Amino acid sequence: DQQVKQNSPSLSVQEGRISILNCDYTNSMFDYFLWYKKYPAEGPTFLISISSIKDKNEDGRFTVFLNKSAKHLSLHIVPSQPGDSAVYFCAASEMNRDDKIIFGKGTRLHILP
Amino acid sequence: DADVTQTPRNRITKTGKRIMLECSQTKGHDRMYWYRQDPGLGLQLIYYSFDVKDINKGEISDGYSVSRQAQAKFSLSLESAIPNQTALYFCATSEPIRDEQFFGPGTRLTVL
């Protein structure tokens, strides 16, 4: 039973355009959400997070939007750059549990020249 | 120097062999985790430890064991490796506040 779903295994976006990566979750108790980026042969690295008390968090070119009623979050990258080509993992956790993070399966983003 | 290191980085072994994967961190974090990544399956939690005396099973602990030798060291063992344990293994650390996890570079394990 997947609690965090990334339904698009891959996404291709033209350089300079906006990349939108989507994530859905089923557990309404999740209250903290994270995005990780992973390059080949490296471990995932933290990108951006959002608490359930917010609906938007922005950090430079990266913005995460949270829609609690739809149990949906998205990561926007504007403008997309070649170095953004990587696998992006959505993750979620529940504050009153033991802080375990549940990861989605990932979306591979290809930035096209 | 990397904050979270894993050894070995690559390992090929045979079915039935005992394997130990090691993780060390210099971040001073109390919390450490072992994950497994299979193609198309994201990261699955194997075991986690919130301090030296605390060990907890994750989603897929069967066939694995761990040892938290010190705050900085957390090792993962496969007592009798089997081919479906072929995967990428990641160690991670975090602080006991709601914050991100820091991952090691991964160990690619192949069980023949």
Side-chain angles (χ1 to χ4, degrees):
Chain A
D1 181 27
Q2 246 188 297
Q3 297 188 66
V4 178
K5 302 178 184 178
Q6 294 178 257
N7 293 320
S8 298
S10 66
L11 175 68
S12 295
V13 175
Q14 208 76 35
E15 182 179 354
R17 305 293 291 268
I18 183 172
S19 295
I20 300 176
L21 294 93
N22 292 304
C23 178
D24 297 295
Y25 60 95
T26 58
N27 186 346
S28 57
M29 300 302 291
F30 285 148
D31 57 1
Y32 192 64
F33 305 89
L34 309 93
W35 284 94
Y36 285 81
K37 178 179 180 179
K38 183 183 181 305
Y39 292 120
E42 295 183 12
T45 54
F46 171 75
L47 191 56
I48 193 169
S49 64
I50 188 167
S51 164
S52 61
I53 62 174
K54 295 184 175 181
D55 54 20
K56 177 183 175 181
N57 188 27
E58 189 172 355
D59 183 3
R61 295 185 299 113
F62 302 91
T63 303
V64 57
F65 294 92
L66 176 62
N67 182 335
K68 289 186 288 295
S69 61
K71 295 193 183 67
H72 177 82
L73 63 155
S74 60
L75 174 67
H76 293 211
I77 306 173
V78 184
S80 299
Q81 298 176 354
D84 297 330
S85 293
V87 175
Y88 290 79
F89 291 101
C90 172
S93 68
E94 189 182 332
M95 182 181 290
N96 292 325
R97 294 276 307 265
D98 45 21
D99 288 342
K100 285 187 295 185
I101 294 178
I102 307 298
F103 286 86
K105 293 184 178 180
T107 295
R108 184 177 297 278
L109 177 63
H110 300 271
I111 303 302
L112 306 171
Chain B
D1 287 341
D3 295 317
V4 184
T5 57
Q6 293 182 233
T7 55
R9 293 296 311 278
N10 288 282
R11 182 72 183 268
I12 300 174
T13 191
K14 294 182 178 180
T15 296
K17 294 291 188 181
R18 183 177 187 274
I19 293 294
M20 178 180 287
L21 309 183
E22 299 187 353
C23 176
S24 295
Q25 53 115 346
T26 59
K27 299 191 74 66
H29 291 167
D30 286 325
R31 299 184 172 190
M32 298 187 73
Y33 309 80
W34 274 105
Y35 289 92
R36 167 180 172 159
Q37 185 189 12
D38 295 276
L41 288 180
L43 291 157
Q44 296 174 282
L45 183 63
I46 306 172
Y47 270 97
Y48 60 104
S49 168
F50 284 173
D51 63 44
V52 175
K53 298 179 181 178
D54 176 77
I55 301 289
N56 303 282
K57 292 184 177 181
E59 306 166 72
I60 54 165
S61 58
D62 287 349
Y64 300 95
S65 63
V66 291
S67 174
R68 185 78 184 268
Q69 301 94 323
Q71 186 205 38
K73 296 184 182 296
F74 192 35
S75 59
L76 175 72
S77 293
L78 288 68
E79 296 300 326
S80 180
I82 56 177
N84 76 2
Q85 291 178 313
T86 293
L88 264 174
Y89 290 86
F90 290 100
C91 174
T93 74
S94 71
E95 295 179 307
I97 56 175
R98 298 301 303 280
D99 207 349
E100 71 268 23
Q101 293 182 356
F102 297 86
F103 285 81
T107 294
R108 184 173 294 280
L109 177 66
T110 302
V111 183
L112 302 176

